Amino acid sequence: MIAEWQNHKEQLRSYVSKRIDDPDAVDDILQDVYIKASNNLHQLKSTGSLKGWLYRIAHNTIMDFYRGRQPFEELPDDLVAEERDTGKQAREELAQCLRPLIDELPEKYGTPLRLAELEGMPQQAIADKLGLSLSGAKSRVQRSRVKFREQMMACCDFEMDQEGITAYSRKNPIKHTKC
């Protein structure tokens, strides 16, 4: 390998120096090319393709050099705090609005819906807590959602567009006593 490297070293130096604006980095890149070629010599299919193979390694090493020099901005420290927010506060606020309507459902439907939607409990945990199979818990939660939706539609008028609900208002509470 060393003899073949010596045959191509000067041509590779010229190739790299034309593509790198930092003369001090040229020798570092050539050294990286030699190390990569030595470590991966078993991948070379024939010695006739050695020159092209070395140029491919040199090209990739040059690309790695420029990728490493790309500027980046530090993330602000407060960004980390935002990622830790799991939506718990939003879920609690929504729960305060929805809990009375869920409480109006029969216990068979209200309990699994409360556990799934307000407490964020996984359906397997709901199944375990209520003594149901997983498929039974999934079915119960789905039926609960349907019944809850029917109750919501009976109590409220919703205005919707492509992005979802834009406004809502209570229907006449005299006609709908459960609202």
Side-chain angles (χ1 to χ4, degrees):
M1 171 70 189
I2 294 176
E4 290 295 325
W5 174 255
Q6 293 301 329
N7 291 339
H8 299 292
K9 183 178 177 182
E10 288 309 313
Q11 291 174 332
L12 286 170
R13 180 185 306 282
S14 174
Y15 175 80
V16 171
S17 64
K18 289 178 184 176
R19 287 157 180 78
I20 300 292
D21 56 356
D22 182 1
D24 296 330
V26 172
D27 287 330
D28 292 339
I29 289 173
L30 280 177
Q31 182 178 8
D32 287 346
V33 170
Y34 179 75
I35 291 169
K36 289 176 182 179
S38 296
N39 289 340
N40 296 303
L41 192 58
H42 63 280
Q43 294 178 351
L44 183 63
K45 303 227 187 292
S46 70
T47 56
S49 61
L50 176 69
K51 184 176 181 179
W53 185 65
L54 289 173
Y55 275 91
R56 176 53 46 200
I57 294 172
H59 172 78
N60 291 342
T61 306
I62 292 168
M63 294 298 108
D64 291 342
F65 170 78
Y66 280 116
R67 276 188 211 108
R69 288 182 42 180
Q70 288 181 345
F72 64 93
E73 295 180 23
E74 285 289 326
L75 295 175
D77 292 335
D78 61 339
L79 186 62
V80 174
E82 290 176 18
E83 290 178 14
R84 292 183 188 147
D85 182 18
T86 60
K88 185 176 180 180
Q89 181 181 358
R91 188 174 20 250
E92 288 173 1
E93 289 174 8
L94 182 61
Q96 296 307 315
C97 296
L98 300 179
R99 190 173 305 275
L101 288 174
I102 293 174
D103 290 342
E104 292 293 325
L105 292 172
E107 186 177 342
K108 176 179 178 180
Y109 299 113
T111 301
L113 187 62
R114 192 176 309 105
L115 294 172
E117 301 300 338
L118 301 183
E119 296 179 21
M121 189 179 283
Q123 291 187 354
Q124 181 62 58
I126 294 169
D128 295 341
K129 184 170 183 155
L130 299 178
L132 301 169
S133 66
L134 177 59
S135 63
K138 288 180 179 184
S139 295
R140 187 76 56 88
V141 169
Q142 289 302 318
R143 278 184 260 140
S144 300
R145 288 176 179 157
V146 169
K147 292 197 175 293
F148 180 71
R149 182 170 190 249
E150 290 169 357
Q151 188 170 350
M152 292 277 298
M153 298 306 282
C155 291
C156 302
D157 286 320
F158 296 95
E159 291 182 30
M160 300 178 76
D161 65 9
Q162 291 114 350
E163 295 179 12
I165 297 173
T166 58
Y168 69 94
S169 60
R170 276 183 75 182
K171 289 185 178 178
N172 187 346
I174 295 171
K175 288 182 180 178
H176 306 281
T177 57
K178 290 188 176 185
C179 300

